[in-house]
Amino acid sequence: MNLQGQRDLLLLTEVERDGAVTQRSLASKLGVALGLTNLYLKRLARKGHIKITTIPSHRVRYLLTPQGFAEKSRLTYLYMEYSLSHYREMRARLRETLSRAARNGTKRVVIYGTGELAEMAYLSLREMHITLVGFVDDHQQEAFLSYPVWPPEALSEWEFDAVLLADFDQTAGHRTQLRQRHVPDSKIIALAPSA
């Protein structure tokens, strides 16, 4: 699913949830400028997916049309299909990477990060009977998957064979953090984001 489809799905979902939603709120959820949000809404109106009304005359309201409901259903299906495909691909890549690490003697792994990729990594470690030493993350968080989350400084006190980087957006920063904590590159496992 492309970015435009994801944005359309978000807009249609928000309009269905609250017809009085503001463009400023929508812009914030989309992560785009207010003017661009206005253009997206006008495009959806031109396509017949939403109707823009002003009742009372000073308040804009958005209504999902029958075509809008159908488009939202179609986009939801595409998004679910995309998400499942992405999940399967990432799980396969994690299993392959961790299998290779296990063949090289890796038995105890730290997961650096606490997002969706970290959750998939945790499941893969359990399936492969590799020991999870713990989770570390730069953000203040007490627990993740019922495990305590530690700051990277805790690594100096742990015994581990590898650190799995589980946040694509922070890979470079996490590598820097690990080098500062004298973790050699040979102990860092990173997946590249899929193209």
Side-chain angles (χ1 to χ4, degrees):
M1 174 176 233
N2 64 17
L3 183 59
Q4 186 60 56
Q6 291 177 29
R7 287 178 174 162
D8 286 353
L9 177 58
L10 177 66
L11 286 170
L12 293 171
T13 300
E14 289 300 314
V15 165
E16 179 185 26
R17 189 181 60 76
D18 177 12
V21 66
T22 65
Q23 287 187 14
R24 188 168 310 283
S25 169
L26 291 170
S28 175
K29 288 181 185 207
L30 286 172
V32 299
L34 188 58
L36 193 54
T37 301
N38 185 292
L39 290 174
Y40 288 152
L41 288 167
K42 286 180 179 179
R43 186 178 55 75
L44 289 173
R46 269 195 318 273
K47 288 184 169 186
H49 299 315
I50 63 172
K51 184 174 181 180
I52 302 173
T53 62
T54 51
I55 303 172
S57 61
H58 66 282
R59 183 76 177 134
V60 175
R61 187 159 180 83
Y62 306 98
L63 303 170
L64 212 56
T65 66
Q67 297 94 327
F69 279 108
E71 179 66 1
K72 181 178 172 277
S73 295
R74 184 185 76 80
L75 290 171
T76 300
Y77 174 79
L78 288 175
Y79 185 75
M80 290 176 62
E81 192 175 65
Y82 164 79
S83 296
L84 287 171
S85 172
H86 176 72
Y87 176 81
R88 285 186 197 109
E89 177 195 345
M90 290 310 303
R91 290 275 285 153
R93 289 174 61 199
L94 277 164
R95 280 192 295 272
E96 178 185 324
T97 300
L98 291 171
S99 292
R100 189 170 41 250
R103 286 191 300 273
N104 292 330
T106 298
K107 293 183 172 97
R108 299 172 51 83
V109 173
V110 173
I111 297 177
Y112 199 148
T114 54
E116 291 174 7
L117 185 56
E119 192 171 334
M120 286 188 264
Y122 169 75
L123 293 172
S124 297
L125 289 176
R126 288 189 54 137
E127 288 172 357
M128 301 177 74
H129 306 291
I130 296 174
T131 302
L132 171 67
V133 177
F135 288 98
V136 296
D137 201 357
D138 301 319
H139 308 293
Q140 289 290 352
Q141 184 174 343
E142 286 188 24
F144 181 71
L145 301 176
S146 300
Y147 285 84
V149 177
W150 299 90
E153 295 81 34
L155 291 171
S156 62
E157 300 172 19
W158 292 357
E159 289 185 32
F160 56 89
D161 301 316
V163 177
L164 175 64
L165 304 182
D167 187 340
F168 290 138
D169 296 333
Q170 300 297 321
T171 297
H174 288 173
R175 276 188 187 279
T176 301
Q177 281 272 11
L178 293 172
R179 286 184 187 121
Q180 290 172 354
R181 295 187 179 10
H182 307 290
V183 176
D185 283 342
S186 61
K187 284 191 167 191
I188 298 173
I189 300 172
L191 295 172
S194 56

